[in-house]
Amino acid sequence: ARTRKWNLDTSAPQNKLLANELVQVRLWELRGHHFHPVSSGAKSQRGTGERERAVRSGPLSAVIHHFVAMKLVDSVFLLALASFCQTLDNGLMRTPPMGWLAWERFRCNVDCKNDPQNCISEKLFMEMANCLVTDGWKDLGYVYVNIDDCWMAKERDAKGRLVPDPERFPSGIKALADYVHSHGLKLGIYGDLGTYTCGGYPGTTLDRIEQDALTFAEWGVDMLKLDGCYSSAEYKAKGYPQMTKALNATGRPIAYSCSWPAYQGGLPPQVNYTLLTNICNLWRNYYDIQDSWDSVLSIVDWFSKHQDVLQPQAGPGHWNDPDMLIIGNFGLSEEQSRSQMALWTVFAAPLFLSTDLRSISQSSQKILQNKLMIRINQDPLGIQGRRILQEKSYIEVFLRPLSHSASALVFFSRRTDMPYHYTTSLAKLNYTENAIYEVQDVYTGEIISGLKIADNFTVTVNPSGVVMWYLYPIMYLDQPFSFLNQIDKSETKKFHPFPL
């Protein structure tokens, strides 16, 4: 409807792009422009669509005016790319992807002679695939087995093709992909848009993009992470969209993870998120995560500080990626592990484990396999949550709107002294619906029934820990009948307490 209002001929390539951006503007309005942190006296308006019910609506006219002004700035850049750039057409990752990724835990360990259990080799990835199946990970949605850097031989073959290291991957990547697929899993691989990978292995230069995309497709690869070491900003601006086109041309659905934003500071104007949401399934925005609590906090701080820019970009098929889960390694306490899992879930982040699944502790496995947590992460609306409140008591509150009028709340403590008793109400957190809510604690499973927005409640949050709630309305008080009686009976199942 909005493209017709603008009298666009959507058969023209440049107008297809413009029409798509008009749609993105509307989604931007629905997902984030209007979804503000708590402020005194704030009011909310509810729309009729599910996404509009989940978030607060804003003035579309102002958005369109802003959009028109911005077209004068960025349309030249976008249209310059239109001759070889097209939308990533794979239909993948409608919810945040889940799986296992080698890098943070195993890095570029290629010493299979002295450390055969932990070196980057086909043995490592086959064993991780086995663990995903036998230990229940696959059934929960962790289906990607992702190779990172240092899998290649130091030189391409005589035909210019990438080849795996013959000693560490003697069976080849095709055989590894077949093995992973036979277990009902998917294989991800790593490349780098530049002369070399970050680890010094052969990179994908502009003249090799089509060849490498075809090689990955012939091997049966299901996901590509394309890094950006050893290349310029101009090189990346050409290469990342070119890889989108090349992946589409293979005919194989290959999910596409772009590291482009992380090399350009992660923010506009250096990063064009309108373009990214059309050519990538997910993208790294910020620095690599390290095995430390300080690293986790730096990512949370950066994502929260820039949430007005980042939050509207996330949605089905295109996600911000704050990097891997380091739960189960060496740098986080149990409380901090719970916090990372909860915050990544509120961020609608990809859930890529980077730990040794062969020896992971039961406590870490319990956190990562929390069924209600995963259900929230995988919510089909795909709205990224936001930090809505920072208290002087060093308690922060994060909120993520979910489907069926539900929501997730995270009470996060930055304190380092002792557990803190935090008292608030849903009204103080800007809930305005005149409803009665039921609450389920995501970690303990405890149920609180009959909560009204004006009711005060207290949560006890441990230092560097979280309390996470899953909330859903069970009755609207301004209606003559219970909310559950107003909807189809099949829908009421969505509001039952979730078995942990």
Side-chain angles (χ1 to χ4, degrees):
R2 297 189 184 281
T3 61
R4 289 195 297 272
K5 179 179 178 181
W6 282 70
N7 297 317
L8 293 179
D9 173 14
T10 55
S11 64
Q14 67 271 24
N15 287 343
K16 283 185 179 180
L17 185 61
L18 182 57
N20 184 68
E21 286 202 29
L22 284 168
V23 174
Q24 293 298 320
V25 167
R26 179 56 175 157
L27 292 178
W28 177 66
E29 182 200 32
L30 294 178
R31 287 200 295 260
H33 179 70
H34 44 276
F35 184 30
H36 297 294
V38 174
S39 60
S40 60
K43 300 290 184 180
S44 72
Q45 298 175 342
R46 297 285 181 175
T48 56
E50 176 136 37
R51 295 188 73 94
E52 293 178 291
R53 291 198 301 270
V55 297
R56 298 169 177 83
S57 60
L60 179 60
S61 59
V63 176
I64 292 295
H65 292 157
H66 172 77
F67 169 76
V68 173
M70 289 306 295
K71 296 319 298 168
L72 299 175
V73 177
D74 63 14
S75 62
V76 173
F77 172 69
L78 289 173
L79 293 177
L81 293 175
S83 61
F84 64 91
C85 171
Q86 58 186 19
T87 299
L88 185 63
D89 185 21
N90 59 23
L92 301 175
M93 295 185 173
R94 306 305 296 172
T95 59
M98 300 170 60
W100 180 88
L101 201 161
W103 181 255
E104 204 294 314
R105 176 61 180 83
F106 295 96
R107 304 287 174 149
C108 192
N109 180 358
V110 296
D111 187 2
C112 291
K113 180 178 180 179
N114 295 309
D115 195 9
Q117 289 298 109
N118 299 299
C119 66
I120 302 302
S121 65
E122 65 181 37
K123 177 179 181 293
L124 177 68
F125 294 97
M126 292 169 71
E127 290 181 354
M128 293 304 161
N130 294 340
C131 289
L132 287 175
V133 175
T134 59
D135 296 336
W137 302 97
K138 185 192 85 167
D139 293 338
L140 294 170
Y142 293 99
V143 296
Y144 283 95
V145 179
N146 284 9
I147 306 169
D148 210 273
D149 203 350
C150 308
W151 61 270
M152 306 170 193
K154 283 290 187 178
E155 302 289 341
R156 291 174 177 263
D157 69 10
K159 295 183 179 180
R161 295 174 300 194
L162 292 172
V163 290
D165 183 279
E167 295 185 2
R168 294 182 285 116
F169 293 85
S171 304
I173 302 300
K174 177 65 167 64
L176 179 57
D178 290 344
Y179 184 86
V180 167
H181 294 158
S182 72
H183 286 68
L185 302 169
K186 299 179 180 182
L187 184 70
I189 205 162
Y190 170 98
D192 186 281
L193 182 65
T195 52
Y196 298 99
T197 73
C198 299
Y201 291 82
T204 298
T205 51
L206 294 179
D207 60 320
R208 297 289 190 184
I209 285 177
E210 286 74 19
Q211 181 181 33
D212 289 356
L214 187 59
T215 296
F216 297 147
E218 290 172 347
W219 286 343
V221 165
D222 303 291
M223 177 177 172
L224 169 64
K225 172 186 173 182
L226 192 61
D227 214 334
C229 282
Y230 300 104
S231 62
S232 66
E234 293 76 13
Y235 207 85
K236 293 179 180 67
K238 294 179 180 178
Y240 279 100
Q242 187 177 334
M243 180 59 82
T244 297
K245 184 177 180 181
L247 292 174
N248 282 345
T250 68
R252 179 176 179 80
I254 299 177
Y256 185 25
S257 172
C258 304
S259 296
W260 188 8
Y263 287 88
Q264 305 302 131
L267 298 170
Q270 288 78 17
V271 177
N272 188 314
Y273 278 107
T274 302
L275 176 61
L276 274 173
T277 57
N278 282 287
I279 67 170
C280 307
N281 292 117
L282 65 160
W283 49 81
R284 286 284 312 286
N285 315 71
Y286 190 59
Y287 299 127
D288 287 1
I289 197 169
Q290 307 299 322
D291 192 7
S292 75
W293 180 235
D294 284 345
S295 180
V296 172
L297 286 180
S298 71
I299 293 170
V300 173
D301 287 341
W302 191 85
F303 268 72
S304 299
K305 180 180 179 180
H306 302 295
Q307 61 187 10
D308 289 344
V309 172
L310 302 175
Q311 188 263 350
Q313 314 309 328
H318 45 91
W319 309 99
N320 295 302
D321 182 4
D323 212 2
M324 296 159 279
L325 294 166
I326 58 171
I327 299 161
N329 292 334
F330 312 102
L332 302 186
S333 68
E334 185 169 349
E335 290 293 339
Q336 293 163 352
S337 296
R338 289 170 178 258
S339 294
Q340 192 197 10
M341 188 67 176
L343 292 167
W344 262 233
T345 292
V346 165
F347 288 154
L351 299 181
F352 285 119
L353 318 169
S354 190
T355 188
D356 193 339
L357 298 178
R358 299 165 300 189
S359 58
I360 189 171
S361 68
Q362 289 186 353
S363 61
S364 294
Q365 185 168 337
K366 184 178 180 181
I367 293 169
L368 293 165
Q369 292 190 347
N370 185 301
K371 293 180 179 179
L372 180 53
M373 185 76 72
I374 292 170
R375 175 180 174 178
I376 294 169
N377 176 269
Q378 297 289 292
D379 186 81
L381 280 187
I383 298 173
Q384 181 173 315
R386 298 170 62 101
R387 183 172 63 191
I388 61 169
L389 197 60
Q390 290 179 282
E391 298 278 20
K392 293 181 180 179
S393 59
Y394 297 100
I395 300 296
E396 299 179 0
V397 184
F398 293 76
L399 168 65
R400 180 179 175 187
L402 304 172
S403 56
H404 308 292
S405 301
S407 56
L409 277 173
V410 172
F411 305 93
F412 172 47
S413 175
R414 293 199 180 239
R415 301 178 70 93
T416 58
D417 52 359
M418 59 188 297
Y420 187 80
H421 305 292
Y422 177 65
T423 300
T424 188
S425 68
L426 294 182
K428 293 176 183 176
L429 301 178
N430 222 20
Y431 282 72
T432 59
E433 198 73 68
N434 189 19
I436 295 177
Y437 289 86
E438 188 162 89
V439 173
Q440 185 169 6
D441 188 300
V442 176
Y443 278 119
T444 69
E446 178 186 1
I447 302 294
I448 301 172
S449 294
L451 185 66
K452 300 178 183 178
I453 63 172
D455 294 343
N456 284 334
F457 58 85
T458 300
V459 291
T460 301
V461 193
N462 292 336
S464 69
V466 293
V467 170
M468 185 172 183
W469 279 8
Y470 173 59
L471 301 87
Y472 42 91
I474 56 174
M475 181 180 295
Y476 287 121
L477 297 179
D478 54 1
Q479 298 293 330
F481 301 103
S482 142
F483 172 64
L484 295 182
N485 289 332
Q486 297 173 43
I487 59 177
D488 185 83
K489 290 183 179 180
S490 65
E491 292 290 299
T492 64
K493 296 180 180 180
K494 295 182 174 63
F495 299 101
H496 288 172
F498 194 83
L500 300 182

